[in-house]
Amino acid sequence: MAQKTIRILGIESSCDETAAAIVEDGRRIVSDYISTQIDIHKQYGGVFPEVASRQHVLAVYPVIEEAMNRAHMSFSDIDAIAVTRGPGLAGSLVVGMNAAKGLAFSTGLPLIGINHLEGHIYSSWVYSDQDETVPDEPEFPAIVLLVSGGHSEIILLKDHLKYERLGGTLDDAAGEAFDKTARLLGLEYPGGPSIQKAAANGDPYSYRFNIAKMPGTYDFSFSGVKTSVLRTVEKLKKDGSRLNVPDLAASFQKCVVNTLFEKTLRAAREYEAKNIVIAGGVSANKCLRDTFMGQNEFRVFIPKLSYCTDNGAMIGAAGYRRFMAGQRDGMDMDVYPNWPLSRVSL
Ligand code: KG4
Ligand code: ZN
């Protein structure tokens, strides 16, 4: 007898996107909808937490409703509600969490709290009906490079939901470094896409920025490279030279991408990984994608562009794995704004 299809409603509100999606069996996206606040936060040059929470309050139910309508489904078609519990902005997380609790209470459906980073990892499992074929899924063990606005980690993924953190940033996250560097180059928020755009017309070998190598570890440090760009900009200004933003952006981008690439590859070799999985907002970066795709030692999985940054499908996909593993959370579940992946348990 064919196995019953499991459908999870995934809800995400950890930062500046309110998102909901319905995912079947941890892979097929039946519907998804994202309401982004980027245009609102642009004027502040970054995410303004209080404004973000209020926007989530306005968006959360309409976004969930839109995802349900697009799927032509009612709650009787859904098996569980998965929601981002952390890490993220406390006030933003609370909005998604309370909406999920309200729905779970009124429908009687199970509630499952998801770690946002775990969600990002599962973006490599999802596909939609727009894809021509059902894509392969990553094989274990895999090395995950998780690079977002708040995190930069190298993780050994031994099996579904089984991780070992090998290293990570000691200061700024990779996305944060893009955002801060963009700001000092006068580029708009979010910095990653702005730097990528500016870098398209620049020479990546025009400047050499210092980046900490942290030899013998899988750790990163990105605050120094940002300072190195700052010093260069200050010197150029002092000398009365014109700021060549495309060259500066391209050199910065190349420097960060090379470091991420070298460490990830080294980890994949050491742990004899079958695949490399890249996740998080920075995985949208073209230079990073091209660099990883330009080697053929390891098969690399990178989500489609629309699933690199925050979305509900990744929460639905991770929610499926946790649903199958038996996780059920109670109404007393609270948000966990600093939840490291190492503290996630089954
Ligand atoms: O995963 P995400 O949407 O949110 C967090 O969980 O943090 O990641 C957002 C981060 C931002 O720092 C943004 O600048 C960066 O991802 N980002 C990029 C690109 N698109 C988004 N960084 C580099 N290149 C991009 N194309
Ligand atoms: Zn994220």
Side-chain angles (χ1 to χ4, degrees), residues 74-122:
S74 69
F75 281 97
S76 58
D77 302 306
I78 304 292
D79 294 277
I81 299 170
V83 61
T84 305
R85 190 181 166 203
L89 299 170
S92 293
L93 290 165
V94 162
V95 180
M97 177 60 78
N98 286 344
K101 281 184 185 172
L103 290 173
F105 184 74
S106 58
T107 57
L109 288 172
L111 176 69
I112 302 173
I114 297 296
N115 182 289
H116 181 80
L117 308 178
E118 182 171 280
H120 272 303
I121 295 172
Y122 277 98

Side-chain angles (χ1 to χ4, degrees), residues 12 14-17 38 87-88 116-117 120 146-151 173-180 182 188-197 252-253 257 279-289 305 307-311 314:
E12 154 65 34
S14 67
C15 191
D16 58 350
E17 333 274 358
I38 283 181
H116 181 80
L117 308 178
H120 272 303
L146 198 141
V147 269
S148 70
H151 295 268
E176 195 180 351
F178 272 90
D179 293 337
K180 288 179 175 171
E188 69 178 9
Y189 176 84
S194 301
I195 295 236
Q196 174 175 313
K197 201 166 155 211
F252 162 80
Q253 178 176 261
V257 165
V282 182
S283 61
N285 186 267
K286 187 172 183 314
C287 175
L288 182 123
R289 298 170 86 93
L305 280 181
Y307 298 108
C308 287
T309 46
D310 295 347
N311 62 84
M314 68 188 207

Side-chain angles (χ1 to χ4, degrees), residues 157-279:
L157 189 57
K158 298 173 182 169
D159 201 341
H160 282 300
L161 310 178
K162 291 208 175 71
Y163 325 97
E164 185 183 330
R165 182 183 183 275
L166 303 180
T169 184
L170 302 180
D171 39 58
D172 292 350
E176 195 180 351
F178 272 90
D179 293 337
K180 288 179 175 171
T181 303
R183 203 177 310 159
L184 71 91
L185 294 178
L187 300 170
E188 69 178 9
Y189 176 84
S194 301
I195 295 236
Q196 174 175 313
K197 201 166 155 211
N201 305 312
D203 171 8
Y205 302 103
S206 48
Y207 293 96
R208 277 184 71 89
F209 297 125
N210 296 323
I211 188 158
K213 295 273 183 242
M214 326 290 294
T217 73
Y218 292 114
D219 290 330
F220 304 108
S221 165
F222 294 116
S223 77
V225 64
K226 170 199 68 198
T227 311
S228 183
V229 178
L230 177 66
R231 296 280 169 268
T232 306
V233 168
E234 281 172 347
K235 188 170 181 307
L236 289 169
K237 281 186 180 161
K238 197 163 150 246
D239 297 346
S241 313
R242 193 180 64 86
L243 275 195
N244 187 326
V245 173
D247 281 356
L248 289 161
S251 304
F252 162 80
Q253 178 176 261
K254 188 88 193 137
C255 170
V256 171
V257 165
N258 280 354
T259 303
L260 295 171
F261 178 68
E262 282 160 21
K263 292 236 169 180
T264 308
L265 228 68
R266 194 159 64 73
R269 284 183 193 130
E270 182 173 335
Y271 289 90
E272 296 177 3
K274 294 219 174 73
N275 300 142
I276 290 174
V277 172
I278 309 186

